[in-house]
Amino acid sequence: MKRRIIEILRNGQSDESVTVQGWVRTKRDLKGFAFVEVNDGSSLASLQAVLKAEMPDYEATLKQINTGASVEISGVLVPSQGKGQRIELQAETVKVFGDADPETYPLQKKRHSFEFLRTIGHLRSRTNSLGAVFRVRNACATAIHQFFQERSFLWVHTPVITRNDCEGAGELFTVTSLDLKKIPQTENGKIDYSQDFFGGQAFLTVSGQLEAEVMAMAFSNVYTFGPTFRAENSNTSRHLAEFWMVEPEMAFCDLVGNMDLAEAFLKHIFKYVLETCPEDMKFFNQRIDDSVLATADNIINNQFERITYTEAIAQLEKATKTFEYPVEWGLDLQSEHERYLAEELFKKPVIVTDYPKQIKAFYMRVNDDDKTVRAMDVLAPKIGEIIGGSQREERLEVLEKRMQAQDINPDDLWWYLDLRRYGTVPHAGFGLGFERLVQFMTGMGNIRDVIPFPRAPLSAEF
Ligand code: 4AD
Ligand code: MG
């Protein structure tokens, strides 16, 4: 019977007949018999198959079985003499689907740097580290849906092509429907992008929030989970041009409800991943970052710190550490400031609220002081900002004033303003950067190594 290797390693019994399919990790030819490690991506561990010389075509088959070859092996499970494995497969038949020339196959039986692996993005998922990352990534996604579905949130699908710049940061990729060979040029020879999308202008979305707000005004609690795009040319280990975002939006909810949800949400995901991927998590702790398990424990068992932006600035001013960027009320927190608060001062996630309105998006609810807005950022040790959110401005006149102050044309967002005209309610939501979460969970140093096909400046291998 065809079985997944993880299932065999967990439940396989002696004398059971099984068939496995996968890729060869290593072969040891011991004259008269050979050990072949097969991995099918279902777990970190490979299944050891023992091939004996009595097998038909033994020599010819063995020649073809090199690291990277694809095989199907059938046989009987037997107790293993080897260390670290309970059971092994006594091979009876071996079929090689495709061999892999050891002279040219780029994945050798040694540790490769993540930089090198990025140049072979089509093969790197066959390594232990990337395999573990993508299993954990899958578990995070499952945990996210589970969390919201258990709470009756509706998963809504928001568009990738949009006409709005939700964050107002001007980090938009333009979408064109024009034939690139026939792009109209203006008189000065420049390309006219304003008519790009079937006569109008459109972009790749930076956030599904505004559309999520539309849906929350009908279904109360909703969430998005999809790709978002930012044309920021920042070559850092925490930024991608294409990343996935999870954005819950809740009607009849304020900032405190929003913070409570964000905290429960992160705790749930960490618990779920520890339960479902214990071997992968142990691997990260041993091989990538020895604080991974302690961090998970910290998230699950500690209450997050909650402070206002004004308190955060006071703390940063008191710090004995010297920062590269200035600390001053009114300036945005830089990643070094965020990390100081979470990593050094509180040693756990910190939720910073009530930022100055000048540095935050137009849709955030203005506080009575008229200086700050009901914003919240969740800052994590090592990563910095992992979640950004806010209570939204539900008062029409205040929102119109804010849009005017930020030079946003109300005609472009007439439908968004309509939500404040017809049945407006206090509401709130946040966005979790999915790759930042996976990075945080696994301890991986570079965000490009937690998404299968990273899109970032200077990296589009394919
Ligand atoms: O803080 P941001 O810009 O918030 C929003 O987009 C809101 N509309 C969310 C909401 O309230 N519904 O982005 C949210 C999160 C950040 O906290 C960060 O984790 C992640 O998205 N993020 C990025 N991740 C990878 N690469 C980038 N270039 C990112 N920019 C933001
Ligand atoms: Mg933000």
Side-chain angles (χ1 to χ4, degrees), residues 167 230 360 377 385 387-388:
E167 294 307 298
R230 306 250 166 130
K360 287 293 184 186
D377 276 5
E385 180 190 336
I387 283 178

Side-chain angles (χ1 to χ4, degrees), residues 126-145:
R126 298 184 189 182
T127 62
N128 280 342
S129 332
L130 275 293
V133 167
F134 298 136
R135 277 187 299 273
V136 164
R137 186 179 163 106
N138 169 70
C140 287
T142 308
I144 286 165
H145 284 299

Side-chain angles (χ1 to χ4, degrees), residues 167 207 209 230 232 240 247 363 385-388 392 431 433:
E167 294 307 298
S207 156
Q209 179 197 318
R230 306 250 166 130
E232 54 190 336
L240 290 164
E247 296 183 274
Y363 52 73
E385 180 190 336
I386 188 165
I387 283 178
R392 319 305 188 189

